Amino acid sequence: MSYGYSQSLVTTLLDADSEHLGITLGKHCVKLGIPVAEVADSLGVSRATVYNWFWGLNTPLAKHEKPIRDFIRANRKRR
């Protein structure tokens, strides 16, 4: 699995409800092979925070919603 995404995370994301922004971000990053470190650096949060969003353990704060949407939009056609 590229960039350290475990098969467990990939499977969880495939089965997860995309209604949650963190899970939507996770699906996007896994699909395009965007490393968690890049996401964390871009959004100014820790890698642990990003993983918690991907797993659906935490929901991004309101202040992160627009930057996350912008990140997804900016990286849509990557690779």
Side-chain angles (χ1 to χ4, degrees), residues 32-48:
L32 297 177
I34 301 170
V36 169
E38 182 179 332
V39 179
D41 289 345
S42 177
L43 298 174
V45 298
S46 70
R47 289 180 302 182

Side-chain angles (χ1 to χ4, degrees), residues 66-79:
K66 183 178 181 330
I68 289 170
R69 292 183 197 287
D70 291 345
F71 181 88
I72 291 170
R73 205 172 357 267
N75 289 284
R76 266 200 192 165
K77 298 193 180 187
R78 186 172 172 158
R79 293 194 194 235

Side-chain angles (χ1 to χ4, degrees), residues 9-74:
L9 175 60
V10 172
T11 301
T12 298
L13 287 170
L14 289 175
D15 295 337
D17 180 5
S18 291
E19 181 177 316
H20 300 282
L21 185 57
I23 292 172
T24 299
L25 175 64
K27 286 183 177 191
H28 177 77
C29 292
V30 167
K31 177 181 171 187
L32 297 177
I34 301 170
V36 169
E38 182 179 332
V39 179
D41 289 345
S42 177
L43 298 174
V45 298
S46 70
R47 289 180 302 182
T49 295
V50 173
Y51 275 117
N52 286 336
W53 292 343
F54 284 10
W55 282 101
L57 299 173
N58 293 324
T59 303
L61 298 174
K63 71 180 184 177
H64 293 121
E65 289 179 12
K66 183 178 181 330
I68 289 170
R69 292 183 197 287
D70 291 345
F71 181 88
I72 291 170
R73 205 172 357 267

